[in-house]
Amino acid sequence: MTIRKHHGGGRFEEVGSYCRAKRVGPFVWVAGTTAIEPSGKLHAPGDAYRQTLYILKRIEGALKDVGAEMRHVVRTRSYFSEASAGAGFVRAHGEIFRGVDPVATAVTAGLSQPGMMVEIDVDAVIHDEEGHIDFPSGK
């Protein structure tokens, strides 16, 4: 069975002993991802639409690193600092996932810094165009 990990370089990954994305067989989980740039600066403070696009690009890179694509995403979970972030999030989510249509959950939660509007985690299942999944024998 395939096990692959992607480390995104987040400041808490090493200390907390976790990875940004993990694949086990055809299943992939991507940890809660925010709009923190590699410099440590928050991308587009207060702008849920631009933060969502930025986050989904980071998630796309993590998925790619473990052999998955955005078309494999089956669930998104989003956390908003305030309910008003929902409009920007929905617009960006719709642009990125048109035709994929993952199930989606959103909740309002306290996020880690002022201006941070959105955090997203995703689950994916690697499958072919017809939805078939290849389960390796594990040998």
Side-chain angles (χ1 to χ4, degrees), residues 18-124:
Y18 74 91
C19 53
R20 174 71 35 212
K22 187 168 187 174
R23 173 182 175 179
V24 178
F27 305 103
V28 181
W29 299 269
V30 179
T33 304
T34 63
I36 300 294
E37 298 173 351
S39 66
K41 178 183 168 196
L42 178 63
H43 183 82
D47 188 330
Y49 173 76
R50 289 179 49 213
Q51 285 186 17
T52 299
L53 289 176
Y54 184 85
I55 292 164
L56 291 175
K57 288 295 179 191
R58 288 186 66 203
I59 287 172
E60 183 176 34
L63 288 169
K64 183 178 180 182
D65 197 45
V66 298
E69 301 173 15
M70 294 296 268
R71 69 181 181 89
H72 297 130
V73 173
V74 295
R75 174 187 298 275
T76 63
R77 284 183 209 83
S78 306
Y79 309 90
F80 304 148
S81 61
E82 53 193 63
S84 65
F89 165 81
V90 167
R91 183 174 143 218
H93 190 279
E95 290 173 10
I96 301 299
F97 287 112
R98 184 139 343 271
V100 176
D101 302 330
V103 298
T105 300
V107 298
T108 303
L111 298 181
S112 64
Q113 62 181 271
M116 184 179 287
M117 304 300 291
V118 181
E119 181 171 340
I120 303 169
D121 67 72
V122 306
D123 303 333

Side-chain angles (χ1 to χ4, degrees), residues 11-18:
R11 63 183 188 222
F12 298 122
E13 287 181 24
E14 185 175 341
V15 173
S17 190
Y18 74 91

